[in-house]
């Protein structure tokens, strides 16, 4: 096993450029869970000591979350949107949240990753760096499928960025599991909602996780919510086709049950947003 601990982004990028077969590790929570991975047979680049990758900042209307930021840090950053903080607080146990990182979770690309639906609903982008330069991709273009991402072998995910929601925006995250306490999601949903002065939907973003190979935004459903009053939303959700979803069947749920849970999670998230808007609660 060859192990290198980088202390700067430049050191990490130079090491990856020298040998793109090396694997990046930070929190290590996904690596330990991968039964196919034999640590002694891999070349490792440890980025856990790069302070620049652990910053959570807001500037010029944008939020920037360093890829090595722990989920517990996200959960405790009170000015971040509610949906993202709630999703961060739902990631595993406290031990996992303290150790596991946002960037590692995105690169692992699990269909049931808690953080992905809220980030999609916030129009998040990823920043990818190499010795060749820096590029940005919308998160939905970065996530190609289960365990598949658009990350070149010599690239490092360095940050996640999204526009800071407007003051009138409300966000919510709902996670459906098969038991109480720390558990993997069966299905989850995140919503960003803005109500107009006449109490109709002015803007909406809806994302669903666990019901397809990757979490998905639901643009057709979002369009159907516009200009609607709160009392009409349940019928719209109940009647939506959700054709974009392709839920699997396994020991945890049938495809039909996952579709049912998706409707339930979306409606609950919408309800949270509407109630917060009615009481003047800030999205951040």
């Amino acid at each position: 096993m060859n192990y290198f601990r980088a202390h700067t982004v430049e050191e990490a990028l130079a090491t990856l450029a020298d040998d793109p077969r090396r694997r990046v590790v930070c929190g290590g929570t996904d690596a330990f869970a991968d039964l196919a991975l034999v640590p002694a047979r891999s070349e490792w680049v440890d980025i856990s000591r790069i302070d620049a990758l652990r910053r959570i900042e807001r500037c010029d209307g944008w939020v920037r979350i360093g890829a090595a930021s722990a989920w517990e840090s996200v959960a405790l950053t009170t000015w971040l949107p509610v949906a993202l903080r709630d999703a961060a607080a739902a990631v595993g146990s406290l031990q996992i949240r303290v150790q596991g990182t946002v960037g590692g979770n995105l690169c692992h690309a699990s269909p049931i990753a808690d953080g992905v639906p809220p980030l999609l609903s916030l129009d998040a982008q990823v920043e990818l760096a190499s010795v060749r330069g820096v590029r940005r991709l919308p998160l939905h273009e970065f996530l190609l499928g289960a365990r598949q991402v658009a990350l070149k072998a010599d690239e490092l995910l360095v940050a996640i960025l999204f526009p800071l929601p407007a003051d009138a925006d409300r966000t919510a995250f709902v996670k459906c599991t098969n038991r109480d306490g720390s558990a993997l999601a069966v299905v989850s949903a995140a919503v960003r909602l803005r109500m107009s002065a006449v109490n109709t939907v002015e803007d909406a973003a809806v994302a669903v996780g666990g019901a397809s190979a990757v979490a998905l935004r639901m643009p057709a459903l979002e369009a159907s919510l516009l200009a609607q009053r709160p009392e009409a939303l349940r019928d719209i959700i109940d009647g939506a086709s959700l054709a974009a979803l392709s839920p699997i069947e396994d020991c945890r749920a049938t495809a039909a049950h996952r579709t049912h849970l998706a409707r339930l999670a979306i409606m609950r998230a919408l309800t949270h947003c509407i109630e917060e808007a009615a009481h003047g609660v800030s999205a951040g």
Side-chain angles (χ1 to χ4, degrees):
M1 179 175 71
N2 186 308
Y3 174 85
F4 174 73
R5 172 171 284 166
H7 290 86
T8 67
V9 172
E10 291 74 20
E11 282 184 352
L13 297 182
T15 304
L16 291 174
D18 181 59
D19 186 355
R21 293 173 301 174
R22 291 188 169 105
R23 298 178 64 104
V24 174
V25 65
C26 190
T29 56
D30 289 326
F32 281 114
D34 189 344
L35 297 178
L37 180 63
V38 180
R41 296 177 185 170
S42 297
E43 306 285 316
W44 294 96
V45 179
D46 184 346
I47 63 170
S48 63
R49 297 294 177 87
I50 302 178
D51 292 339
L53 297 182
R54 293 189 176 276
R55 297 172 185 152
I56 301 176
E57 305 167 308
R58 50 184 168 176
C59 182
D60 296 329
W62 282 79
V63 176
R64 180 184 177 91
I65 299 175
S69 298
W71 284 112
E72 186 68 2
S73 297
V74 174
L76 296 176
T77 303
T78 57
W79 54 263
L80 285 172
V82 170
L84 185 56
R85 286 189 281 124
D86 285 353
V91 174
S93 64
L94 177 60
Q95 293 90 335
I96 294 295
R97 293 195 298 276
V98 168
Q99 189 72 12
T101 64
V102 179
N105 191 251
L106 294 185
C107 288
H108 188 60
S110 169
I112 57 173
D114 294 323
V116 174
L119 287 171
L120 286 174
S121 73
L122 293 164
D123 296 319
Q125 304 174 14
V126 293
E127 186 171 284
L128 311 173
S130 71
V131 294
R132 294 173 285 106
V134 176
R135 65 185 180 117
R136 288 187 183 180
L137 278 180
L139 180 57
H140 68 87
E141 293 182 15
F142 178 72
L143 299 170
L144 302 178
R147 308 292 191 271
Q148 300 176 50
V149 294
L151 184 70
K152 292 180 170 45
D154 65 338
E155 285 184 320
L156 180 67
L157 171 59
V158 295
I160 300 90
L161 307 98
F162 57 85
L164 193 64
D167 289 342
D169 287 355
R170 302 294 179 264
T171 70
F173 171 76
V174 171
K175 177 176 177 176
C176 300
T177 66
N178 282 333
R179 60 179 174 83
D180 294 334
S182 175
L184 296 174
V186 178
V187 169
S188 63
V191 166
R192 174 173 51 82
L193 191 73
R194 185 185 311 150
M195 301 299 291
S196 72
V198 294
N199 202 31
T200 59
V201 176
E202 183 176 307
D203 189 35
V206 179
V208 175
S212 48
V214 293
L216 294 175
R217 278 282 293 267
M218 309 293 291
L221 176 58
E222 293 169 2
S224 71
L225 298 175
L226 297 180
Q228 299 294 327
R229 297 186 66 81
E231 56 268 26
L233 299 187
R234 183 172 296 280
D235 287 342
I236 293 173
I237 301 302
D238 288 344
S241 70
L242 304 189
L245 302 180
S246 53
I248 63 169
E249 299 209 12
D250 59 16
C251 61
R252 299 172 65 232
T254 64
H257 187 53
R258 282 189 165 92
T259 301
H260 167 72
L261 289 178
R263 294 185 199 278
L264 182 66
I266 292 168
M267 192 62 225
R268 286 181 177 174
L270 282 169
T271 300
H272 289 327
C273 290
I274 292 167
E275 290 176 348
E276 288 183 356
H279 291 89
V281 178
S282 172

